[in-house]
Amino acid sequence: MSESSLVGESSLKKPAQFETILDLLANITKKSAFYRDKFADLDLSSIRSWEDFERLPFTDKGDLRDAYPLGLQAVPDEDIVRIHSSSGTTGLPIIIPYTKRDVDEWAEMFARCYEMAGVTPLDRIHVTPGYGLWTAGIGFQAGAERLGAMVVPMGPGNTDKQLKMMSDLKSTVLCATSSYALLLAEEIDRRGIRSKIHLSKGLIGSERWGKQMRHRIATELGVQLFDIYGLTEIYGPGIGISCEHECGMHYWDDYLYFEIINQHTGEQVSEGEVGELVITTLRKEGAPLIRYRTHDLTRFIPGECACGSIYPRIDVILGRTDDMVKVKGVNIFPAQIDEILHEVEGTSSEFQVMIDHLEGRDVMTVFFETVEGASIKGVEAAVRHSFKTRIGLTIVPKAVAIGDLPRSEKKTNRVFDNRY
Ligand code: ZN
């Protein structure tokens, strides 16, 4: 029996996790200079309950950036075997040091992801995310090797070579971001080489992607898709994945403790409600994190999954707290834009939004790709009408042809706020 079945205990708060957290707190200020500073005014020994724990201050990206380069390191130098770094778009990057055990356990979690997706040692795993400072490529590779499958370590770019290797080596599993998977799917279709492709599964990075895009990738590549979750600050990708039932993502609660909070108040939301995911690492040595704000929006999915897994679930990532834009007093998430477009006949999966301040007022222009043969004027009118009725916002619709909007190998930014 798993501890989750204990009467009176939510499956999301297991006694074993709390024991681990108490151990972590008992040692953290001895080991980590970062937390010694951060928790200087707190008496950690007074923490006796989940409620006490939930009063601890959050750790945020800015704190991690301030610790550049190695301020997060919580073990002696000889125990660190590798670093990874987040792609800092603004200012300093965040550097995360890993011990041998961190690297091993990350591979273990990632191997679990592959197993949950039904990948076996007979599979050939085509890895397109980047290698190097980024955690993605090496994470996908280490997990596959742990499982015992053959890795084709492509990294991003060079579509000709990607497709040649994919067909010659008969790759069966594609690991990619959603936008790169879409780019490859379109290329395969354009070149008419679908019969040479042997893919049966796609493991797609945690970038938020719409139903329409999912459907296109799945049908054009002829694969079953799995959402894989992770972030550099917490190991990297591989800390959670969807199962064959496609009802959220299971995450590894023996390594990580998840909370979902109201991003404005910092309070826990009620189970099932959308909020910001906050993660505490239970076993990480090199750079343990307590109550780290991911800025990813999701919700807990209550109840047991049809697949029978003991691991709890969060929904696929619904957006980022920092993606939210306010236009003419209306709060908008990229996920909503995607949803509205999805409901209008003639639109395809890609879109881009520009928000400008022109002649004293905010103007939101929505560029979207249309399916072949759609009436441009008709679709634009329908999109304008949908935005007006669904969120009360008058927008400028601009229909473009399929392939006109950028696809990238990394995460795609779809909303550009040019007002400030
Ligand atoms: Zn499941």
Side-chain angles (χ1 to χ4, degrees), residues 124-159:
R124 294 177 175 186
I125 303 184
H126 195 94
V127 177
T128 70
Y131 284 78
L133 286 173
W134 210 29
T135 47
I138 200 167
F140 278 101
Q141 170 152 354
E145 287 175 352
R146 180 64 58 100
L147 180 75
M150 185 176 95
V151 176
V152 186
M154 296 301 302
N158 199 341
T159 308

PDB file of all heavy atoms in Angstrom, residues 124-159:
ATOM      1  N   ARG A 124      14.590   3.576 -30.492  1.00  0.00           N
ATOM      2  CA  ARG A 124      15.705   4.426 -30.930  1.00  0.00           C
ATOM      3  C   ARG A 124      15.267   5.866 -30.748  1.00  0.00           C
ATOM      4  O   ARG A 124      14.302   6.315 -31.371  1.00  0.00           O
ATOM      5  CB  ARG A 124      16.036   4.126 -32.378  1.00  0.00           C
ATOM      6  CG  ARG A 124      16.566   2.705 -32.478  1.00  0.00           C
ATOM      7  CD  ARG A 124      16.837   2.308 -33.886  1.00  0.00           C
ATOM      8  NE  ARG A 124      17.459   0.977 -33.899  1.00  0.00           N
ATOM      9  CZ  ARG A 124      17.923   0.393 -34.981  1.00  0.00           C
ATOM     10  NH1 ARG A 124      17.838   1.021 -36.150  1.00  0.00           N
ATOM     11  NH2 ARG A 124      18.466  -0.798 -34.918  1.00  0.00           N
ATOM     12  N   ILE A 125      15.994   6.546 -29.897  1.00  0.00           N
ATOM     13  CA  ILE A 125      15.510   7.838 -29.405  1.00  0.00           C
ATOM     14  C   ILE A 125      16.275   8.992 -30.050  1.00  0.00           C
ATOM     15  O   ILE A 125      17.481   9.144 -29.878  1.00  0.00           O
ATOM     16  CB  ILE A 125      15.605   7.877 -27.873  1.00  0.00           C
ATOM     17  CG1 ILE A 125      14.797   6.683 -27.316  1.00  0.00           C
ATOM     18  CG2 ILE A 125      15.093   9.211 -27.334  1.00  0.00           C
ATOM     19  CD1 ILE A 125      14.703   6.620 -25.821  1.00  0.00           C
ATOM     20  N   HIS A 126      15.535   9.774 -30.828  1.00  0.00           N
ATOM     21  CA  HIS A 126      16.083  10.878 -31.614  1.00  0.00           C
ATOM     22  C   HIS A 126      15.965  12.154 -30.781  1.00  0.00           C
ATOM     23  O   HIS A 126      14.872  12.669 -30.566  1.00  0.00           O
ATOM     24  CB  HIS A 126      15.236  10.977 -32.890  1.00  0.00           C
ATOM     25  CG  HIS A 126      15.822  11.802 -33.971  1.00  0.00           C
ATOM     26  ND1 HIS A 126      16.583  11.277 -34.987  1.00  0.00           N
ATOM     27  CD2 HIS A 126      15.724  13.122 -34.221  1.00  0.00           C
ATOM     28  CE1 HIS A 126      16.937  12.247 -35.820  1.00  0.00           C
ATOM     29  NE2 HIS A 126      16.433  13.370 -35.374  1.00  0.00           N
ATOM     30  N   VAL A 127      17.121  12.642 -30.295  1.00  0.00           N
ATOM     31  CA  VAL A 127      17.118  13.770 -29.351  1.00  0.00           C
ATOM     32  C   VAL A 127      17.471  15.061 -30.087  1.00  0.00           C
ATOM     33  O   VAL A 127      18.603  15.229 -30.547  1.00  0.00           O
ATOM     34  CB  VAL A 127      18.115  13.516 -28.204  1.00  0.00           C
ATOM     35  CG1 VAL A 127      18.167  14.715 -27.257  1.00  0.00           C
ATOM     36  CG2 VAL A 127      17.740  12.249 -27.421  1.00  0.00           C
ATOM     37  N   THR A 128      16.497  15.972 -30.227  1.00  0.00           N
ATOM     38  CA  THR A 128      16.771  17.227 -30.947  1.00  0.00           C
ATOM     39  C   THR A 128      17.002  18.444 -30.042  1.00  0.00           C
ATOM     40  O   THR A 128      17.523  19.452 -30.524  1.00  0.00           O
ATOM     41  CB  THR A 128      15.633  17.585 -31.936  1.00  0.00           C
ATOM     42  OG1 THR A 128      14.474  17.960 -31.184  1.00  0.00           O
ATOM     43  CG2 THR A 128      15.298  16.440 -32.860  1.00  0.00           C
ATOM     44  N   PRO A 129      16.603  18.412 -28.757  1.00  0.00           N
ATOM     45  CA  PRO A 129      16.913  19.599 -27.929  1.00  0.00           C
ATOM     46  C   PRO A 129      18.425  19.801 -27.797  1.00  0.00           C
ATOM     47  O   PRO A 129      19.201  18.856 -27.957  1.00  0.00           O
ATOM     48  CB  PRO A 129      16.268  19.265 -26.580  1.00  0.00           C
ATOM     49  CG  PRO A 129      15.177  18.309 -26.913  1.00  0.00           C
ATOM     50  CD  PRO A 129      15.755  17.465 -28.024  1.00  0.00           C
ATOM     51  N   GLY A 130      18.825  21.023 -27.496  1.00  0.00           N
ATOM     52  CA  GLY A 130      20.236  21.392 -27.487  1.00  0.00           C
ATOM     53  C   GLY A 130      21.038  20.766 -26.355  1.00  0.00           C
ATOM     54  O   GLY A 130      20.503  20.452 -25.294  1.00  0.00           O
ATOM     55  N   TYR A 131      22.326  20.599 -26.623  1.00  0.00           N
ATOM     56  CA  TYR A 131      23.269  20.107 -25.615  1.00  0.00           C
ATOM     57  C   TYR A 131      24.065  21.288 -25.071  1.00  0.00           C
ATOM     58  O   TYR A 131      23.977  22.390 -25.582  1.00  0.00           O
ATOM     59  CB  TYR A 131      24.203  19.075 -26.244  1.00  0.00           C
ATOM     60  CG  TYR A 131      23.547  17.732 -26.453  1.00  0.00           C
ATOM     61  CD1 TYR A 131      22.685  17.513 -27.512  1.00  0.00           C
ATOM     62  CD2 TYR A 131      23.784  16.676 -25.569  1.00  0.00           C
ATOM     63  CE1 TYR A 131      22.075  16.280 -27.703  1.00  0.00           C
ATOM     64  CE2 TYR A 131      23.181  15.445 -25.754  1.00  0.00           C
ATOM     65  CZ  TYR A 131      22.325  15.252 -26.820  1.00  0.00           C
ATOM     66  OH  TYR A 131      21.731  14.035 -26.992  1.00  0.00           O
ATOM     67  N   GLY A 132      24.874  21.035 -24.047  1.00  0.00           N
ATOM     68  CA  GLY A 132      25.721  22.108 -23.519  1.00  0.00           C
ATOM     69  C   GLY A 132      25.198  22.593 -22.185  1.00  0.00           C
ATOM     70  O   GLY A 132      24.781  21.797 -21.347  1.00  0.00           O
ATOM     71  N   LEU A 133      25.225  23.902 -22.009  1.00  0.00           N
ATOM     72  CA  LEU A 133      24.784  24.459 -20.728  1.00  0.00           C
ATOM     73  C   LEU A 133      23.316  24.161 -20.449  1.00  0.00           C
ATOM     74  O   LEU A 133      22.902  24.015 -19.313  1.00  0.00           O
ATOM     75  CB  LEU A 133      24.994  25.976 -20.711  1.00  0.00           C
ATOM     76  CG  LEU A 133      26.433  26.446 -20.571  1.00  0.00           C
ATOM     77  CD1 LEU A 133      26.506  27.955 -20.752  1.00  0.00           C
ATOM     78  CD2 LEU A 133      27.009  26.044 -19.217  1.00  0.00           C
ATOM     79  N   TRP A 134      22.549  24.060 -21.523  1.00  0.00           N
ATOM     80  CA  TRP A 134      21.122  23.774 -21.416  1.00  0.00           C
ATOM     81  C   TRP A 134      20.937  22.355 -20.902  1.00  0.00           C
ATOM     82  O   TRP A 134      21.708  21.450 -21.233  1.00  0.00           O
ATOM     83  CB  TRP A 134      20.494  23.918 -22.805  1.00  0.00           C
ATOM     84  CG  TRP A 134      19.080  24.360 -22.789  1.00  0.00           C
ATOM     85  CD1 TRP A 134      18.479  25.129 -21.846  1.00  0.00           C
ATOM     86  CD2 TRP A 134      18.090  24.060 -23.774  1.00  0.00           C
ATOM     87  NE1 TRP A 134      17.164  25.339 -22.192  1.00  0.00           N
ATOM     88  CE2 TRP A 134      16.901  24.688 -23.364  1.00  0.00           C
ATOM     89  CE3 TRP A 134      18.085  23.327 -24.972  1.00  0.00           C
ATOM     90  CZ2 TRP A 134      15.724  24.610 -24.089  1.00  0.00           C
ATOM     91  CZ3 TRP A 134      16.927  23.256 -25.699  1.00  0.00           C
ATOM     92  CH2 TRP A 134      15.749  23.895 -25.259  1.00  0.00           C
ATOM     93  N   THR A 135      19.891  22.116 -20.091  1.00  0.00           N
ATOM     94  CA  THR A 135      19.710  20.787 -19.508  1.00  0.00           C
ATOM     95  C   THR A 135      19.015  19.805 -20.436  1.00  0.00           C
ATOM     96  O   THR A 135      19.004  18.611 -20.171  1.00  0.00           O
ATOM     97  CB  THR A 135      18.829  20.876 -18.236  1.00  0.00           C
ATOM     98  OG1 THR A 135      17.694  21.679 -18.527  1.00  0.00           O
ATOM     99  CG2 THR A 135      19.602  21.448 -17.081  1.00  0.00           C
ATOM    100  N   ALA A 136      18.438  20.298 -21.517  1.00  0.00           N
ATOM    101  CA  ALA A 136      17.516  19.449 -22.267  1.00  0.00           C
ATOM    102  C   ALA A 136      18.177  18.241 -22.927  1.00  0.00           C
ATOM    103  O   ALA A 136      17.860  17.103 -22.601  1.00  0.00           O
ATOM    104  CB  ALA A 136      16.788  20.281 -23.298  1.00  0.00           C
ATOM    105  N   GLY A 137      19.107  18.473 -23.864  1.00  0.00           N
ATOM    106  CA  GLY A 137      19.685  17.372 -24.641  1.00  0.00           C
ATOM    107  C   GLY A 137      20.258  16.278 -23.761  1.00  0.00           C
ATOM    108  O   GLY A 137      19.908  15.100 -23.894  1.00  0.00           O
ATOM    109  N   ILE A 138      21.106  16.672 -22.847  1.00  0.00           N
ATOM    110  CA  ILE A 138      21.781  15.683 -22.011  1.00  0.00           C
ATOM    111  C   ILE A 138      20.799  14.962 -21.079  1.00  0.00           C
ATOM    112  O   ILE A 138      20.980  13.788 -20.760  1.00  0.00           O
ATOM    113  CB  ILE A 138      22.952  16.333 -21.231  1.00  0.00           C
ATOM    114  CG1 ILE A 138      23.940  15.258 -20.777  1.00  0.00           C
ATOM    115  CG2 ILE A 138      22.458  17.175 -20.077  1.00  0.00           C
ATOM    116  CD1 ILE A 138      25.263  15.826 -20.296  1.00  0.00           C
ATOM    117  N   GLY A 139      19.741  15.649 -20.675  1.00  0.00           N
ATOM    118  CA  GLY A 139      18.716  15.008 -19.844  1.00  0.00           C
ATOM    119  C   GLY A 139      18.014  13.892 -20.596  1.00  0.00           C
ATOM    120  O   GLY A 139      17.889  12.767 -20.110  1.00  0.00           O
ATOM    121  N   PHE A 140      17.570  14.196 -21.817  1.00  0.00           N
ATOM    122  CA  PHE A 140      16.913  13.190 -22.650  1.00  0.00           C
ATOM    123  C   PHE A 140      17.858  12.007 -22.903  1.00  0.00           C
ATOM    124  O   PHE A 140      17.444  10.856 -22.905  1.00  0.00           O
ATOM    125  CB  PHE A 140      16.489  13.800 -23.991  1.00  0.00           C
ATOM    126  CG  PHE A 140      15.190  14.565 -23.927  1.00  0.00           C
ATOM    127  CD1 PHE A 140      15.173  15.944 -23.868  1.00  0.00           C
ATOM    128  CD2 PHE A 140      13.977  13.893 -23.932  1.00  0.00           C
ATOM    129  CE1 PHE A 140      13.971  16.653 -23.813  1.00  0.00           C
ATOM    130  CE2 PHE A 140      12.768  14.584 -23.881  1.00  0.00           C
ATOM    131  CZ  PHE A 140      12.766  15.970 -23.823  1.00  0.00           C
ATOM    132  N   GLN A 141      19.136  12.323 -23.133  1.00  0.00           N
ATOM    133  CA  GLN A 141      20.110  11.275 -23.439  1.00  0.00           C
ATOM    134  C   GLN A 141      20.383  10.383 -22.222  1.00  0.00           C
ATOM    135  O   GLN A 141      20.349   9.155 -22.312  1.00  0.00           O
ATOM    136  CB  GLN A 141      21.419  11.918 -23.908  1.00  0.00           C
ATOM    137  CG  GLN A 141      22.541  10.888 -24.012  1.00  0.00           C
ATOM    138  CD  GLN A 141      23.575  11.250 -25.045  1.00  0.00           C
ATOM    139  OE1 GLN A 141      23.418  12.214 -25.788  1.00  0.00           O
ATOM    140  NE2 GLN A 141      24.622  10.457 -25.113  1.00  0.00           N
ATOM    141  N   ALA A 142      20.648  11.002 -21.070  1.00  0.00           N
ATOM    142  CA  ALA A 142      21.002  10.212 -19.883  1.00  0.00           C
ATOM    143  C   ALA A 142      19.852   9.292 -19.465  1.00  0.00           C
ATOM    144  O   ALA A 142      20.072   8.144 -19.079  1.00  0.00           O
ATOM    145  CB  ALA A 142      21.389  11.151 -18.729  1.00  0.00           C
ATOM    146  N   GLY A 143      18.620   9.798 -19.578  1.00  0.00           N
ATOM    147  CA  GLY A 143      17.462   8.976 -19.213  1.00  0.00           C
ATOM    148  C   GLY A 143      17.313   7.789 -20.147  1.00  0.00           C
ATOM    149  O   GLY A 143      16.998   6.669 -19.726  1.00  0.00           O
ATOM    150  N   ALA A 144      17.550   8.031 -21.441  1.00  0.00           N
ATOM    151  CA  ALA A 144      17.423   6.959 -22.432  1.00  0.00           C
ATOM    152  C   ALA A 144      18.499   5.897 -22.222  1.00  0.00           C
ATOM    153  O   ALA A 144      18.246   4.694 -22.324  1.00  0.00           O
ATOM    154  CB  ALA A 144      17.519   7.547 -23.839  1.00  0.00           C
ATOM    155  N   GLU A 145      19.703   6.353 -21.901  1.00  0.00           N
ATOM    156  CA  GLU A 145      20.788   5.402 -21.646  1.00  0.00           C
ATOM    157  C   GLU A 145      20.500   4.585 -20.393  1.00  0.00           C
ATOM    158  O   GLU A 145      20.776   3.387 -20.338  1.00  0.00           O
ATOM    159  CB  GLU A 145      22.119   6.150 -21.508  1.00  0.00           C
ATOM    160  CG  GLU A 145      22.613   6.666 -22.850  1.00  0.00           C
ATOM    161  CD  GLU A 145      23.867   7.522 -22.755  1.00  0.00           C
ATOM    162  OE1 GLU A 145      24.293   7.846 -21.617  1.00  0.00           O
ATOM    163  OE2 GLU A 145      24.393   7.892 -23.808  1.00  0.00           O
ATOM    164  N   ARG A 146      19.943   5.243 -19.379  1.00  0.00           N
ATOM    165  CA  ARG A 146      19.581   4.530 -18.146  1.00  0.00           C
ATOM    166  C   ARG A 146      18.547   3.445 -18.460  1.00  0.00           C
ATOM    167  O   ARG A 146      18.606   2.333 -17.942  1.00  0.00           O
ATOM    168  CB  ARG A 146      19.026   5.514 -17.121  1.00  0.00           C
ATOM    169  CG  ARG A 146      18.618   4.925 -15.789  1.00  0.00           C
ATOM    170  CD  ARG A 146      19.802   4.346 -15.034  1.00  0.00           C
ATOM    171  NE  ARG A 146      20.836   5.335 -14.787  1.00  0.00           N
ATOM    172  CZ  ARG A 146      21.000   5.985 -13.629  1.00  0.00           C
ATOM    173  NH1 ARG A 146      20.201   5.729 -12.626  1.00  0.00           N
ATOM    174  NH2 ARG A 146      21.968   6.862 -13.495  1.00  0.00           N
ATOM    175  N   LEU A 147      17.624   3.781 -19.338  1.00  0.00           N
ATOM    176  CA  LEU A 147      16.603   2.809 -19.751  1.00  0.00           C
ATOM    177  C   LEU A 147      17.224   1.688 -20.583  1.00  0.00           C
ATOM    178  O   LEU A 147      16.769   0.552 -20.566  1.00  0.00           O
ATOM    179  CB  LEU A 147      15.531   3.533 -20.578  1.00  0.00           C
ATOM    180  CG  LEU A 147      14.374   2.699 -21.112  1.00  0.00           C
ATOM    181  CD1 LEU A 147      13.409   2.371 -19.970  1.00  0.00           C
ATOM    182  CD2 LEU A 147      13.635   3.441 -22.218  1.00  0.00           C
ATOM    183  N   GLY A 148      18.267   2.018 -21.333  1.00  0.00           N
ATOM    184  CA  GLY A 148      18.926   1.025 -22.176  1.00  0.00           C
ATOM    185  C   GLY A 148      18.547   1.124 -23.642  1.00  0.00           C
ATOM    186  O   GLY A 148      18.779   0.207 -24.422  1.00  0.00           O
ATOM    187  N   ALA A 149      17.945   2.259 -24.025  1.00  0.00           N
ATOM    188  CA  ALA A 149      17.577   2.450 -25.432  1.00  0.00           C
ATOM    189  C   ALA A 149      18.732   3.115 -26.182  1.00  0.00           C
ATOM    190  O   ALA A 149      19.631   3.686 -25.564  1.00  0.00           O
ATOM    191  CB  ALA A 149      16.337   3.326 -25.525  1.00  0.00           C
ATOM    192  N   MET A 150      18.693   3.035 -27.518  1.00  0.00           N
ATOM    193  CA  MET A 150      19.738   3.662 -28.322  1.00  0.00           C
ATOM    194  C   MET A 150      19.405   5.133 -28.547  1.00  0.00           C
ATOM    195  O   MET A 150      18.309   5.468 -28.984  1.00  0.00           O
ATOM    196  CB  MET A 150      19.853   2.971 -29.675  1.00  0.00           C
ATOM    197  CG  MET A 150      20.991   3.493 -30.522  1.00  0.00           C
ATOM    198  SD  MET A 150      21.142   2.554 -32.062  1.00  0.00           S
ATOM    199  CE  MET A 150      20.191   3.580 -33.171  1.00  0.00           C
ATOM    200  N   VAL A 151      20.384   5.993 -28.265  1.00  0.00           N
ATOM    201  CA  VAL A 151      20.175   7.427 -28.453  1.00  0.00           C
ATOM    202  C   VAL A 151      20.785   7.878 -29.777  1.00  0.00           C
ATOM    203  O   VAL A 151      21.896   7.478 -30.120  1.00  0.00           O
ATOM    204  CB  VAL A 151      20.838   8.228 -27.303  1.00  0.00           C
ATOM    205  CG1 VAL A 151      20.708   9.727 -27.545  1.00  0.00           C
ATOM    206  CG2 VAL A 151      20.231   7.847 -25.960  1.00  0.00           C
ATOM    207  N   VAL A 152      20.054   8.693 -30.506  1.00  0.00           N
ATOM    208  CA  VAL A 152      20.615   9.400 -31.660  1.00  0.00           C
ATOM    209  C   VAL A 152      20.733  10.869 -31.225  1.00  0.00           C
ATOM    210  O   VAL A 152      19.760  11.605 -31.251  1.00  0.00           O
ATOM    211  CB  VAL A 152      19.696   9.263 -32.894  1.00  0.00           C
ATOM    212  CG1 VAL A 152      20.355   9.884 -34.124  1.00  0.00           C
ATOM    213  CG2 VAL A 152      19.331   7.806 -33.141  1.00  0.00           C
ATOM    214  N   PRO A 153      21.935  11.262 -30.762  1.00  0.00           N
ATOM    215  CA  PRO A 153      22.070  12.586 -30.115  1.00  0.00           C
ATOM    216  C   PRO A 153      22.254  13.718 -31.118  1.00  0.00           C
ATOM    217  O   PRO A 153      23.343  14.233 -31.299  1.00  0.00           O
ATOM    218  CB  PRO A 153      23.322  12.412 -29.245  1.00  0.00           C
ATOM    219  CG  PRO A 153      24.140  11.379 -29.957  1.00  0.00           C
ATOM    220  CD  PRO A 153      23.205  10.511 -30.756  1.00  0.00           C
ATOM    221  N   MET A 154      21.162  14.118 -31.778  1.00  0.00           N
ATOM    222  CA  MET A 154      21.249  15.098 -32.858  1.00  0.00           C
ATOM    223  C   MET A 154      21.488  16.525 -32.373  1.00  0.00           C
ATOM    224  O   MET A 154      22.247  17.256 -32.977  1.00  0.00           O
ATOM    225  CB  MET A 154      19.937  15.098 -33.656  1.00  0.00           C
ATOM    226  CG  MET A 154      19.619  13.817 -34.373  1.00  0.00           C
ATOM    227  SD  MET A 154      20.881  13.319 -35.566  1.00  0.00           S
ATOM    228  CE  MET A 154      20.933  14.723 -36.651  1.00  0.00           C
ATOM    229  N   GLY A 155      20.812  16.918 -31.325  1.00  0.00           N
ATOM    230  CA  GLY A 155      20.790  18.343 -31.017  1.00  0.00           C
ATOM    231  C   GLY A 155      19.934  19.044 -32.069  1.00  0.00           C
ATOM    232  O   GLY A 155      19.392  18.380 -32.962  1.00  0.00           O
ATOM    233  N   PRO A 156      19.825  20.367 -31.980  1.00  0.00           N
ATOM    234  CA  PRO A 156      18.914  21.080 -32.879  1.00  0.00           C
ATOM    235  C   PRO A 156      19.546  21.415 -34.232  1.00  0.00           C
ATOM    236  O   PRO A 156      20.756  21.307 -34.402  1.00  0.00           O
ATOM    237  CB  PRO A 156      18.633  22.366 -32.108  1.00  0.00           C
ATOM    238  CG  PRO A 156      19.874  22.584 -31.298  1.00  0.00           C
ATOM    239  CD  PRO A 156      20.451  21.235 -30.994  1.00  0.00           C
ATOM    240  N   GLY A 157      18.719  21.808 -35.162  1.00  0.00           N
ATOM    241  CA  GLY A 157      19.195  22.360 -36.434  1.00  0.00           C
ATOM    242  C   GLY A 157      19.496  21.342 -37.514  1.00  0.00           C
ATOM    243  O   GLY A 157      19.428  20.129 -37.279  1.00  0.00           O
ATOM    244  N   ASN A 158      19.848  21.843 -38.693  1.00  0.00           N
ATOM    245  CA  ASN A 158      20.191  21.022 -39.851  1.00  0.00           C
ATOM    246  C   ASN A 158      19.108  20.002 -40.190  1.00  0.00           C
ATOM    247  O   ASN A 158      19.283  18.790 -40.019  1.00  0.00           O
ATOM    248  CB  ASN A 158      21.543  20.335 -39.639  1.00  0.00           C
ATOM    249  CG  ASN A 158      22.131  19.872 -40.960  1.00  0.00           C
ATOM    250  OD1 ASN A 158      21.404  19.734 -41.958  1.00  0.00           O
ATOM    251  ND2 ASN A 158      23.438  19.633 -40.991  1.00  0.00           N
ATOM    252  N   THR A 159      18.001  20.500 -40.690  1.00  0.00           N
ATOM    253  CA  THR A 159      16.839  19.659 -40.958  1.00  0.00           C
ATOM    254  C   THR A 159      17.156  18.506 -41.910  1.00  0.00           C
ATOM    255  O   THR A 159      16.677  17.386 -41.718  1.00  0.00           O
ATOM    256  CB  THR A 159      15.695  20.535 -41.520  1.00  0.00           C
ATOM    257  OG1 THR A 159      15.515  21.632 -40.631  1.00  0.00           O
ATOM    258  CG2 THR A 159      14.406  19.769 -41.624  1.00  0.00           C
TER     259      THR A 159
END
